[in-house]
Amino acid sequence: MATLQDRLGRSMQDLRISVTDRCNFRCVYCMPKEVFGPSFAFLPRRELLTFEEIARVAKIFAELGVRKIRLTGGEPLVRKDIDTLVQELASIPGIDDLAMTTNGSLLTAERAQKLRSAGLKRVTVSLDSLDDAKFRALNDVGFPVARVLEAIHNAAQAGLTPVKVNMVVKRGANDEDILVMAEHFRGTGHILRFIEYMDVGTANGWRLDDVVQNSKILEQINARWPLEPVAPARPSDVARRFRYTDGAGEIGLIASVSQPFCRDCSRARLSPDGQLFLCLFAQKGYDLRHWLRSGASDDEIEEVVRHIWSGRDVRYSEVRSEKTSGMPKVEMFRIGG
Ligand code: SAM
Ligand code: SF4
Ligand code: SF4
């Protein structure tokens, strides 16, 4: 079967599934409290895809060439019995990588083990600072660093490895913690990844000045512990990889703003209510739930997705400007990072 390609010749290889729009954190750069307060209307349960519906979509996408699935959110672990979904996804022929991005707050040793047994391969845990006061302020619900470090430990113990640690760097908020974070994770086997603060959604008040360019981070770390580049595992990998020349492991740099990687972007995104998004910065999604709930066959839905992907020509980060960053866009917690 010929691989499905979009208008820029990009094949569809990855599917990111946001399983919920809810989260127990209020990270200032993602779900600022002032906007997502107690009266914010999250999706009602009936609007969410069921696990059966998600698995059905995933099977169709696997037929179309998807090999890698990542569960995200919102916070994926707030969705009850998520290991049931993991088990279903892990059994889909063709899916050879199944991962999850989580804030770690609910990743107990028991839960990590359960997810691993269900077939999850790896987790990425988000952690923006090791300074407890700063981290509590960034997640804005007073969640302590120690419990996220525990989650990272639990993931590693359960074999959800290599554990990746995502640090979103925002100028003035945590850019002084770069070396401390690097030092902490050197030699642990965990891969620390520095992510440029992005203009996803419209709620976070993003400004270009708040972005710390990845090249500056690289210079800083390299001056302290020399680094050398590592070849990407796949062309569509978003992180540029580097390893410490003294053998203390690897880091990743995700320069979504300063060095966009749209040219190789192979990711489709499914929102909790079954909208298909073709880009993290999309203004609209395509309603797959309508097809799922209207009696369409798998073949018919496959054809719909084929049609949508074939028409794809988005490359937001390559054309980003002050003008585009102010345009209406879907929020990150709806389509996952
Ligand atoms: N709640 C989970 C978590 O935080 O890991 C999964 C969803 S979260 C939206 C996925 C990733 O996106 C996290 O690593 C988070 O730090 C990152 N993220 C959120 N808002 C961001 C922004 N404005 N710029 C860059 N990364 C962002
Ligand atoms: Fe929640 Fe993750 Fe967004 Fe933080 S980044 S508010 S943990 S969804
Ligand atoms: Fe892919 Fe859109 Fe990000 Fe470009 S901006 S890499 S097209 S998700």
Side-chain angles (χ1 to χ4, degrees):
M1 187 186 64
T3 59
L4 173 60
Q5 296 202 328
D6 70 7
R7 283 167 62 184
L8 302 178
R10 300 170 295 188
S11 53
M12 188 171 75
Q13 297 168 12
D14 307 53
L15 178 62
R16 303 203 140 214
I17 304 175
S18 174
V19 293
T20 176
D21 58 343
R22 290 167 198 259
C23 187
N24 53 350
F25 281 15
R26 285 293 177 273
C27 302
V28 292
Y29 51 73
C30 181
M31 295 177 79
K33 234 180 205 168
E34 312 78 65
V35 182
F36 303 96
S39 59
F40 185 81
F42 288 98
L43 290 167
R45 178 171 279 271
R46 64 178 183 284
E47 302 254 337
L48 298 182
L49 293 190
T50 63
F51 287 166
E52 290 73 25
E53 287 170 330
I54 295 176
R56 187 174 168 209
V57 173
K59 266 185 213 122
I60 293 169
F61 276 71
E63 287 283 328
L64 289 166
V66 162
R67 295 289 162 259
K68 178 174 167 185
I69 292 180
R70 177 171 294 274
L71 297 175
T72 175
E75 173 46 43
L77 293 177
V78 303
R79 191 127 176 208
K80 224 172 117 242
D81 301 327
I82 189 86
D83 47 298
T84 314
L85 175 64
V86 168
Q87 198 158 14
E88 293 213 28
L89 298 177
S91 70
I92 298 175
I95 299 302
D96 48 34
D97 194 9
L98 183 55
M100 177 184 285
T101 305
T102 170
N103 62 27
S105 59
L106 302 167
L107 195 59
T108 57
E110 192 192 344
R111 200 122 190 241
Q113 195 53 60
K114 222 167 160 188
L115 288 164
R116 180 75 186 114
S117 307
L120 192 70
K121 293 215 162 113
R122 299 176 295 115
V123 291
T124 298
V125 179
S126 303
L127 176 63
D128 300 320
S129 178
L130 288 167
D131 177 316
D132 200 52
K134 224 183 264 183
F135 182 63
R136 285 174 190 259
L138 274 166
N139 65 52
D140 217 5
V141 292
F143 199 84
V145 168
R147 299 227 352 238
V148 181
L149 293 176
E150 231 172 85
I152 294 170
H153 173 78
N154 294 340
Q157 288 293 105
L160 294 164
T161 51
V163 179
K164 292 183 181 163
V165 178
N166 273 2
M167 173 181 182
V168 175
V169 182
K170 186 176 177 204
R171 193 182 304 283
N174 62 345
D175 51 336
E176 282 174 3
D177 302 13
I178 293 165
L179 285 180
V180 185
M181 286 283 281
E183 180 160 36
H184 181 88
F185 288 106
R186 270 168 50 80
T188 59
H190 311 323
I191 302 174
L192 177 61
R193 302 168 353 136
F194 299 93
I195 305 182
E196 284 179 352
Y197 172 45
M198 292 184 285
D199 49 335
V200 258
T202 46
N204 64 13
W206 181 89
R207 295 174 323 144
L208 190 55
D209 281 352
D210 294 334
V211 179
V212 179
Q213 288 201 1
N214 264 191
S215 55
K216 299 282 175 230
I217 297 177
L218 184 62
E219 272 169 31
Q220 221 186 103
I221 301 177
N222 186 51
R224 177 80 176 75
W225 302 285
L227 290 159
E228 61 190 11
V230 181
R234 302 182 315 157
S236 58
D237 283 351
V238 297
R240 286 185 302 139
R241 299 166 64 190
F242 292 86
R243 67 174 154 240
Y244 295 108
T245 54
D246 64 3
E250 192 176 316
I251 61 163
L253 293 169
I254 304 182
S256 8
V257 178
S258 65
Q259 284 181 292
F261 30 77
C262 301
R263 199 151 308 146
D264 295 311
C265 182
S266 58
R267 299 170 165 197
R269 295 181 146 86
L270 185 69
S271 73
D273 54 345
Q275 306 276 313
L276 170 62
F277 288 91
L278 302 180
C279 174
L280 186 51
F281 300 92
Q283 294 181 29
K284 70 167 181 73
Y286 298 86
D287 189 4
L288 295 189
R289 190 185 60 189
H290 161 78
W291 295 96
L292 291 166
R293 295 188 180 172
S294 66
S297 69
D298 286 2
D299 285 348
E300 281 164 331
I301 298 176
E302 190 174 314
E303 207 37 55
V304 169
V305 176
R306 196 182 281 282
H307 180 74
I308 295 170
W309 189 268
S310 310
R312 176 182 189 250
D313 62 359
V314 273
R315 49 186 194 93
Y316 178 87
S317 288
E318 288 185 350
V319 298
R320 171 188 282 112
S321 66
E322 293 292 345
K323 192 164 134 247
T324 55
S325 73
M327 285 177 349
K329 292 182 246 93
V330 63
E331 296 296 335
M332 181 84 138
F333 65 91
R334 274 200 65 210
I335 57 173

